[in-house]
């Protein structure tokens, strides 16, 4: 398995895998989680979310878990998603890539000069 | 989930149809879940605006990702289905279309004003078409909802060919039909009554439907909870006190509690066991009026004890066609049976009265009322289609103007090697994207408009309930119409933009006076003006009807009268008790503050509620088709003592009914002036007599004419007889108190008499009589709005054409001025073109309107469809606006100084 062929991940994919790396989540849970993590920069709706999920499912990075009741919603059931082992490895590879990018001298200089 | 949520979800589900089937199967349910969750969150956090904002995010995101999914699925397919060497071609084609699409979106985003204006215009047009079409379809085209194979369900309308009346039929006559017919698999009857449901929380007035045992079976409807009523429930009189609830009633009265099955409810103080609840789709055999509870006909006499024993039970029949049988076959079959029953002297007289039946598909609006509905709604659909046409034309002319403005870009692209087809495709895609966005907006508008329409309630006992949520077919029609207009109107500018050869077009930028705008643009303007005029003339005619209605004296006073609709049959009292309560109500109403007169009547004037009766007057016989002699048909109403005084309807001769007439069942009548003149043209009507159903009555009074149907109709001949039963009636009160206070007082009075009685509908007579002209009011408002929008768009279009042509001729005008032309000359010169267009538009519009308004005739009553005043006023208004649209740019041209004009290079 060539992990590098998956990289770089799109920001949405990265956030989604990150969210799932902590816990299994259903669609609405994912949206809320990502909204908080990115301060509302990445906002997902039924349209774009399931397109991304479909792609990640096809690539085998996430998998469907069973449908089960959501505690906050009473008896209503939702489908949960989980990250696969490959997904975790791809996520780790991407984070490593980003870390080395952030650690590069060039990146540091830019941040030092321009970030407020 | 609330009703609101359901509608949002329905709209979302429609959006999902855009996705490939594969995707829907896999993620459809999850998408809907997420949608519901986010909708809930938005509502909780920001309320209505939040929901609107959320929709604004959801729609584009769904459109975009659905498109991308389709592209993906196309891309995957060739690899499997097509041979490999076709694949690259397909792929490159796809890619270029996608590139065009992306480019289109970018271009539209770069000119936001143009984009927003076009999208709004198209949305208005397609929204209007979808809304009106949905209403037409839901009311007069679709079979009743909630039934199995609704298109095989027949509503039977019955006639007596002698007097042509539409009637219900007796239950026994219906059973004859059931046994003898060869065209139906099932036949059932139903009838609706007002009833009261008593509970600890108070009493509510409900609409109770008494159904024969086969009712649900014929409709093919199942209960959502428990069971439906069966033939066993209806077999023995009074044996099974059971009821089935409608979904709405279950929701509102029992908060959707499933434990209601087996519980007891009290209808008209009689305890019934709830055995079932219907699903939300099921709305009974006449969905335009909502049903609350269904009970077997076998308990009718128990529930409505005020009816004398032995009164024949009347029902409206519905049937289901056998396989391979048409409605016409059923009509012939049933008519022959009814005719043979009618001819059989051994049958009971009331069973023999109907001798023909017409079977038609059972729809929301019953057959006898369908004609006017259909006519009215068709007018609105026609008007909306005109608006969409005007809108599309407008967008087309804007596109065409853009095509000219972008001539340079096109030329450069062609010079760089883009094919002509590619350029056309690019423009077409832009047009399609524009129209797709407009239609999406139109669908949204249609959902809002139909919601608003469904919420309209009339001040009557059972206001019609219409469910016209746009269905798939209505959306398809709207989409089809916009697509058609997009292609027709989008193609023209595209061809115009990409048609000529490169060299001409590159030179084209420095045009002088030479090139003039094509004849197409002018025709469009003329067409728009004409279409707007048709709408404006229609609006004008409806306003005339309403104005006529306002000015015609109805023959009685409408000011200061409050009317309460009392339904004693649903009170669950004995006849004696009803009589005493009614007289208490009347007595105490007379003592309320400001009240001067009180009376009862079985109907209110001018609410289109009339009954016909046959009277026999010597010298006025009517010869029937079979040669026998019968009476003449006149209208009739029953009124109590003091009625004419209360309504200030003058007594021309004789007297009103007295209390003695009412209690003693005296053989007396009062005739209106029209009937008196018709029967006894020379001499007084007082003291004359005629026979009603064989009983001789004497005229004791002649009342002034009052209008009964609508104000614009001719006054029919009417006789009034004393209201002496305990039947349903109106309490009319003449009061000096403000209406709101009078209505409040009456409510308090009803409560104080018996808290268990349902609150009657109480309104002013003005409100009640306004119902009669409701279609005209709606039509006036709708056509005026559509005409106004159309005229605005046409004016903007005209302005654009003139401004454009003036702009192109700036240098020419400069030369003319330099050579001595005055400002006035320039103004006239430039205004001439616009004036010609305005004249042509007005002329064509007048011709079209003269044809179109014929279709309105039925709704126009006394006003002629060719009413000269209306035509004159609306056409001069249109011409005036058109002139203004011409004059503004022309004046600007004339204001330029010659030097300035000569210096411009365009």
């Amino acid at each position: 398995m060539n992990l590098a062929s998956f990289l770089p991940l799109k920001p949405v994919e990265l956030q989604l895998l990150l969210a799932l790396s902590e816990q299994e989540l259903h669609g609405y849970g994912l949206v809320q989680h990502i909204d908080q993590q990115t301060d509302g920069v990445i906002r997902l709706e039924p349209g774009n979310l399931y397109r991304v999920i479909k792609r990640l499912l096809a690539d085998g990075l996430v998998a469907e878990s069973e449908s089960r009741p959501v505690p906050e919603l009473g008896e209503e059931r939702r489908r949960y998603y989980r990250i696969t082992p490959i997904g975790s490895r791809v996520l780790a590879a991407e984070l490593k890539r980003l870390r080395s990018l952030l650690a590069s001298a060039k990146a540091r200089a830019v941040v030092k000069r321009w970030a407020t | 989930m609330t009703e609101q949520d359901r509608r949002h979800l329905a709209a979302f589900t429609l959006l999902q149809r855009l996705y490939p089937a594969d995707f829907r199967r896999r993620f459809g349910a999850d998408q809907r879940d997420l949608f519901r969750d986010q909708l809930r969150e938005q509502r909780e956090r920001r309320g209505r605006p939040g929901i609107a904002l959320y929709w604004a995010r959801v729609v584009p995101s769904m459109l975009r990702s659905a498109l991308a999914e389709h592209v993906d699925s196309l891309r995957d397919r060739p690899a499997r289905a097509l041979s490999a060497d076709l694949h690259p071609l397909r792929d490159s084609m796809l890619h270029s279309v996608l590139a065009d699409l992306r480019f289109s979106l970018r271009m539209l985003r770069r000119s936001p004003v143009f984009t927003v204006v076009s999208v709004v215009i198209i949305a208005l047009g397609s929204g209007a078409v979808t809304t009106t079409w949905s209403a037409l379809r839901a009311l007069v085209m679709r079979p009743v909802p909630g039934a199995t194979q609704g298109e095989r369900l027949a509503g039977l309308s019955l006639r007596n060919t002698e007097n042509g009346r539409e009637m219900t039929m007796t239950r026994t006559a219906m059973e004859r039909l059931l046994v003898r017919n060869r065209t139906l698999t099932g036949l059932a009857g139903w009838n609706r009554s007002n009833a009261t449901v008593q509970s600890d929380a108070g009493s509510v007035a409900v609409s109770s439907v008494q159904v024969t045992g086969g009712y649900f079976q014929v409709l093919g409807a199942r209960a959502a909870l428990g069971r439906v009523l069966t033939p066993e429930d209806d077999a023995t009189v009074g044996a099974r006190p059971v009821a089935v609830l409608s979904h709405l009633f279950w929701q509102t009265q029992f908060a959707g509690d499933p434990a209601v099955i087996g519980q007891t409810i009290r209808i008209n103080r009689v305890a019934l066991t709830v055995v079932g609840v219907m699903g939300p789709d099921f709305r009974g055999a006449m969905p335009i009026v909502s049903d609350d509870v269904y009970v077997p006909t076998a308990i009718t006499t128990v529930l409505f004890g005020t009816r004398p024993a032995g009164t024949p039970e009347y029902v409206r029949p519905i049937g289901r066609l056998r396989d391979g049988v048409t409605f016409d076959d059923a009509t012939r079959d049933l008519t022959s049976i009814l005719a043979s029953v009618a001819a059989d002297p051994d049958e009971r007289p009331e069973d023999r009265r109907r001798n023909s039946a017409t079977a038609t598909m059972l729809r929301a609006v019953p057959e006898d009322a369908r004609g006017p509905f259909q006519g009215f709604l068709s007018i609105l659909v026609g008007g909306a289609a005109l608006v969409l046409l005007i809108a599309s034309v407008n967008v087309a002319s804007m596109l065409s103007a853009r095509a000219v403005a972008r001539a340079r870009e096109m030329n450069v692209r062609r010079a760089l090697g883009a094919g002509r087809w590619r350029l056309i495709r690019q423009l077409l895609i832009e047009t399609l994207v524009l129209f797709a966005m407009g239609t999406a907006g139109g669908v949204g508008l249609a959902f809002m408009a139909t919601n608003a329409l469904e919420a309209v309630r009339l001040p009557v006992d059972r206001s019609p309930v219409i469910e016209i949520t746009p269905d798939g077919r209505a959306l398809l029609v709207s989409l089809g119409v916009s697509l058609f207009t997009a292609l027709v109107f989008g193609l023209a500018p595209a061809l115009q933009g990409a048609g000529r050869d490169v060299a001409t077009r590159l030179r084209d930028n420095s045009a002088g006076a030479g090139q003039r705008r094509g004849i197409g643009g002018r025709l469009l303007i003329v067409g728009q003006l004409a279409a707007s005029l048709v709408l404006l003339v229609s609006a004008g005619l409806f306003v005339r009807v309403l104005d006529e209605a306002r000015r015609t004296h109805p023959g009685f006073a409408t000011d200061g009268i409050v009317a309460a609709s009392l339904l004693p049959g649903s009170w669950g009292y004995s006849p004696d008790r009803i009589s005493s309560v009614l007289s208490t109500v009347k007595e105490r109403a007379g003592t309320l503050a400001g009240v001067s007169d009180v009376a009862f009547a079985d109907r209110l004037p001018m609410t289109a509620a009339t009954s016909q009766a046959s009277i026999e007057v010597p010298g006025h016989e009517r010869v029937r088709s079979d040669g026998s002699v019968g009476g003449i048909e006149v209208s009739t109403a029953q009124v109590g003592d003091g009625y004419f005084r209360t309504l200030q309807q003058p007594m021309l001769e004789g007297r009103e009914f007295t209390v003695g007439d009412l209690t003693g069942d005296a053989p007396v009548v009062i005739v209106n002036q029209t009937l008196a003149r018709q029967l006894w043209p020379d001499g007084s009507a007082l003291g004359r007599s005629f026979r009603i159903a064989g009983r001789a009555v004497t005229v004791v009074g002649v009342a002034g004419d009052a209008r009964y149907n609508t104000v614009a109709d001719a006054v029919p001949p009417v006789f009034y007889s004393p209201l002496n039963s305990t039947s349903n009636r109106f309490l009319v009160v003449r009061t000096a108190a403000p209406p709101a206070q009078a209505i409040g007082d009456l409510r308090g009075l009803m409560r104080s008499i018996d808290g268990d009685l349902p609150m009657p509908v109480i309104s002013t007579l003005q409100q009640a009589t306004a119902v009669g002209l409701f279609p005209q009011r709606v039509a006036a408002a709708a056509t005026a709005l559509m005409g106004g929008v159309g005229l605005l768009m046409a004016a903007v279009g005209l302005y654009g054409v003139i401004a454009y042509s003036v702009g192109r001729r700036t240098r020419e005008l400069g030369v003319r001025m330099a050579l001595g032309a005055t400002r006035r000359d320039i103004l006239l010169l430039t205004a001439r073109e616009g004036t010609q267009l305005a004249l042509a538009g007005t002329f064509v519009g007048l011709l079209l309107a003269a044809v179109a308004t014929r279709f309105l005739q039925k709704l126009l009553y006394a006003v002629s469809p060719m009413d000269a005043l209306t035509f004159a006023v609306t056409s001069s208004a249109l011409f005036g606006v058109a002139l203004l649209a011409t004059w503004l740019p022309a004046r600007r041209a004339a204001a330029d100084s010659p030097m300035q004009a000569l210096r411009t290079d365009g």
Side-chain angles (χ1 to χ4, degrees):
Chain A
M1 167 66 58
N2 181 8
L3 292 183
S5 70
F6 290 106
L7 304 184
L9 290 173
K10 293 187 178 170
V12 183
E13 297 169 335
L14 174 65
Q15 290 297 338
L16 208 143
L17 290 178
L18 257 179
L20 290 180
S21 69
E22 295 167 33
Q23 56 180 319
E24 294 190 1
L25 283 167
H26 53 83
Y28 182 49
L30 267 170
V31 171
Q32 283 178 311
H33 198 98
I34 293 174
D35 189 67
Q36 280 163 16
Q37 287 299 309
T38 63
D39 284 334
V41 171
I42 298 184
R43 283 197 307 185
L44 290 163
E45 293 100 27
N48 46 17
L49 174 71
Y50 285 98
R51 193 166 147 69
V52 178
I53 286 186
K54 185 189 155 192
R55 200 161 55 220
L56 294 177
L57 280 170
D59 290 344
L61 304 189
V62 302
E64 289 178 4
S65 201
E66 80 281 21
S67 274
R68 59 174 184 257
V70 181
E72 313 87 85
L73 295 177
E75 282 306 294
E76 285 185 52
R77 303 174 75 84
R78 294 287 184 269
R79 173 174 304 289
Y80 279 73
Y81 294 93
R82 62 183 167 79
I83 192 165
T84 61
I86 305 170
S88 302
R89 278 161 60 197
V90 169
L91 175 64
E94 172 74 355
L95 291 174
K96 199 171 138 198
R97 186 183 71 81
L98 288 175
R99 190 171 57 196
S100 60
L101 178 70
L102 290 176
S104 71
K106 222 187 236 164
R108 284 179 182 198
V110 170
V111 170
K112 198 171 170 191
R113 175 129 192 252
W114 296 102
T116 48
Chain B
M1 190 165 63
T2 65
E3 191 57 26
Q4 272 279 301
D5 280 351
R6 217 187 307 284
R7 287 180 200 291
H8 284 296
L9 197 63
F12 183 79
T13 310
L14 275 172
L15 258 184
Q16 284 185 310
R17 298 235 177 132
L18 296 171
Y19 282 87
D22 264 353
F23 188 92
R24 282 209 308 266
R25 255 196 304 282
R26 234 171 124 189
F27 298 105
D30 290 359
Q31 273 189 318
R32 276 193 297 278
D33 283 341
L34 176 57
F35 173 78
R36 274 214 306 251
D37 294 337
Q38 288 190 314
L39 196 69
R40 185 160 30 201
E41 176 192 321
Q42 291 298 333
R43 174 174 301 120
E44 279 161 15
R45 277 175 39 190
R46 279 186 286 238
R48 271 168 164 256
I51 291 177
L53 283 176
Y54 179 57
W55 267 112
R57 266 167 55 199
V58 166
V59 172
S61 137
M62 291 285 280
L63 290 178
R64 217 175 308 133
S65 80
L67 186 76
E69 282 299 328
H70 274 288
V71 170
D72 284 358
S73 67
L74 279 179
R75 231 184 240 160
D76 294 345
R77 199 162 300 152
R80 289 195 298 269
L82 293 174
S83 61
D85 51 355
L86 273 175
H87 187 181
L89 175 69
R90 189 77 184 257
D91 206 37
S92 78
M93 173 96 168
L94 198 67
H95 265 287
S96 66
V97 168
L98 270 186
D100 282 354
L101 192 64
R102 229 171 287 135
F103 185 72
S104 300
L105 287 173
R106 209 156 49 219
M107 286 308 288
L108 292 176
R109 205 159 32 201
R110 259 184 36 192
S111 41
V113 175
F114 165 80
T115 307
V116 166
V117 169
S118 311
V119 167
V120 166
I121 288 177
I122 299 165
L124 282 175
S126 71
V129 170
T130 312
T131 307
T132 50
W133 169 260
S134 301
L136 180 68
R137 222 177 108 62
L139 293 175
V140 296
M141 291 165 74
R142 234 172 11 202
V144 293
T148 316
Q149 285 197 314
E151 64 287 347
R152 307 288 298 159
L153 278 175
L156 308 185
S157 80
L158 306 157
R159 274 188 188 78
N160 181 327
T161 45
E162 211 46 68
N163 54 23
R165 279 186 243 161
E166 313 260 346
M167 290 182 275
T168 52
M169 74 196 304
T170 58
R171 216 187 133 162
T172 38
M174 190 204 88
E175 275 154 7
R176 299 274 188 293
L177 279 186
L178 177 59
V179 175
R180 294 194 202 166
N181 86 81
R182 289 183 305 273
T183 44
L184 304 176
T185 59
L187 183 67
W190 64 277
N191 196 4
R192 197 194 302 274
S193 303
N194 296 299
T196 310
V197 166
Q198 286 93 10
S199 72
D200 299 341
S203 298
V204 281
V206 298
S207 143
S208 151
V209 180
Q210 294 80 249
V211 302
T212 64
Y215 180 79
F216 290 101
Q217 203 182 338
V218 168
L219 287 174
R222 285 155 188 261
L225 278 178
R227 63 172 181 89
V228 294
L229 299 175
T230 63
E232 291 75 51
D233 293 319
D234 198 36
T236 321
V237 171
R240 290 212 195 169
V242 290
V244 166
L245 309 183
S246 79
H247 193 266
L248 186 65
F249 185 69
W250 176 59
Q251 289 287 336
T252 50
Q253 292 297 309
F254 295 92
D257 179 9
V260 73
I261 303 294
Q263 276 185 20
T264 300
I265 61 166
R266 288 161 58 74
I267 301 181
N268 290 0
R269 298 170 206 274
V270 176
L272 302 181
T273 308
V274 176
V275 294
V277 174
M278 300 309 291
D281 290 342
F282 183 79
R283 301 170 60 74
M286 197 199 280
I288 185 129
V289 183
S290 69
D291 303 338
D292 294 315
V293 293
Y294 301 90
V295 299
T297 49
I299 60 165
T300 308
T301 49
V302 182
L303 288 185
F304 303 95
T306 54
R307 289 183 197 164
T311 314
E313 181 111 36
Y314 285 90
V315 291
R316 281 174 166 264
I318 52 169
R320 180 173 286 279
L321 298 184
R322 267 177 210 285
D323 286 343
V325 167
T326 65
F327 287 105
D328 285 344
D329 297 339
T331 299
R332 273 191 298 276
D333 180 34
L334 300 171
T335 296
S336 79
I337 300 167
L338 282 178
S340 81
V341 171
D344 184 350
D346 292 340
E347 297 279 354
R348 288 193 302 179
E350 62 265 25
D351 298 341
R352 295 174 53 195
R353 277 194 207 122
R354 293 107 187 110
N355 56 11
S356 101
T358 312
T360 51
M361 198 209 283
L362 194 61
R363 291 172 242 208
V365 175
E367 194 254 354
D368 45 350
R370 217 171 281 157
F373 260 99
Q374 193 155 7
F376 172 61
L377 288 168
S378 306
I379 290 164
L380 294 189
V381 172
L386 279 180
V387 171
L388 179 58
L389 193 72
I390 296 172
S392 308
V393 167
N394 236 42
V395 173
S397 57
M398 279 159 69
L399 278 170
S400 149
R402 254 166 68 91
V404 173
R406 282 168 62 183
R408 259 234 127 111
E409 171 207 329
M410 293 292 156
N411 293 333
V412 171
R413 288 182 66 179
R414 274 196 81 175
L416 289 177
R420 186 175 164 205
W421 160 236
R422 183 79 199 266
L423 292 186
I424 293 176
R425 197 177 67 188
Q426 165 65 39
L427 288 171
L428 260 185
I429 287 180
E430 268 182 54
T431 311
L432 285 177
V433 167
L434 212 53
F435 273 78
M437 293 199 290
T439 308
V443 168
L445 280 181
F447 266 98
M448 286 196 284
T450 51
N451 271 349
L453 279 179
E454 286 175 12
V456 173
R457 290 285 177 276
L458 304 179
V460 292
D461 274 326
R462 285 188 299 239
S463 175
V465 179
I466 45 179
E467 185 143 351
I468 49 179
T469 309
D471 61 356
R473 188 139 12 145
L475 294 182
L476 270 185
V477 166
S478 170
L479 206 67
V481 171
S482 331
L483 207 64
F484 176 76
T485 40
L487 286 176
V488 169
F489 295 111
L491 204 57
L495 290 175
Q496 195 184 340
R500 280 162 302 141
D501 69 275
V502 186
T504 331
R505 297 201 50 110
L506 274 175
R507 280 199 306 274
D508 208 27
N509 200 32
S510 57
Q515 190 216 355
R516 298 186 66 174
R517 186 148 163 174
I519 189 87
R522 282 150 214 278
L523 279 181
L524 294 185
I525 295 291
V526 171
Q528 276 184 308
L529 286 172
S532 314
L533 187 55
V534 172
L535 287 166
L536 288 176
V537 168
S538 310
L541 288 173
F542 286 121
V543 169
R544 285 272 289 146
V545 174
L546 296 174
D547 184 51
E548 199 72 9
R550 199 175 46 78
R551 284 188 309 183
T552 316
H553 187 63
F556 57 90
T558 48
D559 283 343
I561 310 266
V562 172
S565 161
L566 306 181
L567 310 168
S570 72
W571 290 350
Y573 288 161
S574 67
D576 286 348
R577 176 108 189 261
I578 290 179
S579 301
S580 86
V581 167
L582 285 176
S583 46
T584 315
V585 168
K586 181 162 178 262
E587 202 175 294
R588 295 201 9 212
T591 63
L592 292 175
V595 172
S596 50
D597 295 291
V598 183
F600 284 127
D602 71 336
R603 70 200 63 210
L604 295 177
M606 246 166 58
T607 49
T610 48
S611 295
Q612 299 286 304
S614 167
I615 61 172
E616 295 143 43
V617 193
H620 290 275
E621 290 84 3
R622 192 174 54 103
V623 181
R624 290 187 187 140
S625 52
D626 61 357
S628 65
V629 177
I632 54 171
E633 294 281 318
V634 295
S635 299
T636 179
Q638 295 184 316
V639 300
D641 58 297
Y643 172 81
F644 296 99
R645 190 177 62 241
T646 307
L647 259 69
Q648 298 192 327
Q649 185 175 346
M651 289 303 295
L652 304 176
E653 284 181 85
R655 60 171 177 87
E656 283 215 43
F657 294 133
T658 60
V659 182
D661 293 333
L662 305 178
T663 49
D665 199 16
V668 292
V669 290
I670 292 170
V671 296
N672 75 347
Q673 199 178 1
T674 302
L675 183 58
R677 278 203 194 126
Q678 185 180 331
L679 295 180
W680 304 287
D682 35 357
S684 167
L686 280 189
R688 312 267 192 158
S689 63
F690 55 83
R691 285 173 173 279
I692 310 163
R695 179 172 180 256
V697 290
T698 308
V699 177
V700 295
V702 178
D705 283 339
R707 290 168 195 272
Y708 264 85
N709 281 330
T710 66
V711 80
D713 270 349
V715 177
V718 183
F719 75 86
Y720 301 88
S721 47
L723 176 64
N724 51 15
S725 63
T726 53
S727 55
N728 295 343
R729 65 194 51 209
F730 289 92
L731 173 75
V732 285
V733 172
R734 168 158 209 82
T735 176
Q741 187 201 328
I743 290 172
D745 289 349
L746 277 176
R747 292 224 166 98
L749 169 65
M750 292 307 294
R751 253 193 303 273
S752 73
I753 283 174
D754 183 344
D756 266 0
L757 298 185
M759 190 46 66
V761 174
I762 306 178
S763 62
T764 64
L765 189 56
Q766 261 175 343
Q767 288 166 340
T769 53
V771 173
L773 285 172
F774 189 67
Q776 283 77 9
R777 272 174 226 284
V778 174
T783 48
L785 184 70
M786 297 195 286
V789 170
L791 176 57
L792 186 70
M793 290 196 238
V796 170
L798 183 59
Y799 178 94
V801 166
I802 303 303
Y804 173 79
S805 119
V806 167
R808 298 210 67 127
R809 292 169 71 185
T810 308
R811 202 188 295 179
E812 175 209 332
L813 296 177
V815 172
R816 280 173 188 265
M817 282 170 92
L819 291 178
T822 62
R823 267 165 218 256
R824 213 177 107 81
D825 295 336
I826 298 296
L827 191 63
L828 288 179
L829 182 74
T830 46
R832 196 172 58 202
E833 185 186 5
T835 313
Q836 283 166 349
L837 288 178
L839 266 178
T842 312
F843 182 68
V844 175
L846 281 175
L847 288 183
L848 288 180
V851 178
T853 51
R854 276 159 202 261
F855 297 103
L856 312 182
Q857 195 147 24
K858 267 193 185 153
L859 291 166
L860 294 180
Y861 298 118
V863 176
S864 156
M866 295 292 290
D867 183 62
L869 180 68
T870 309
F871 274 71
V873 169
T874 47
S875 56
S876 21
L878 179 100
F879 188 65
V881 172
L883 274 192
L884 187 69
T886 305
W887 183 68
L888 288 175
R891 196 187 55 158
R892 219 177 40 199
D896 274 351
S897 83
M899 283 321 290
Q900 221 177 329
L902 283 173
R903 271 200 297 272
T904 54
D905 74 345

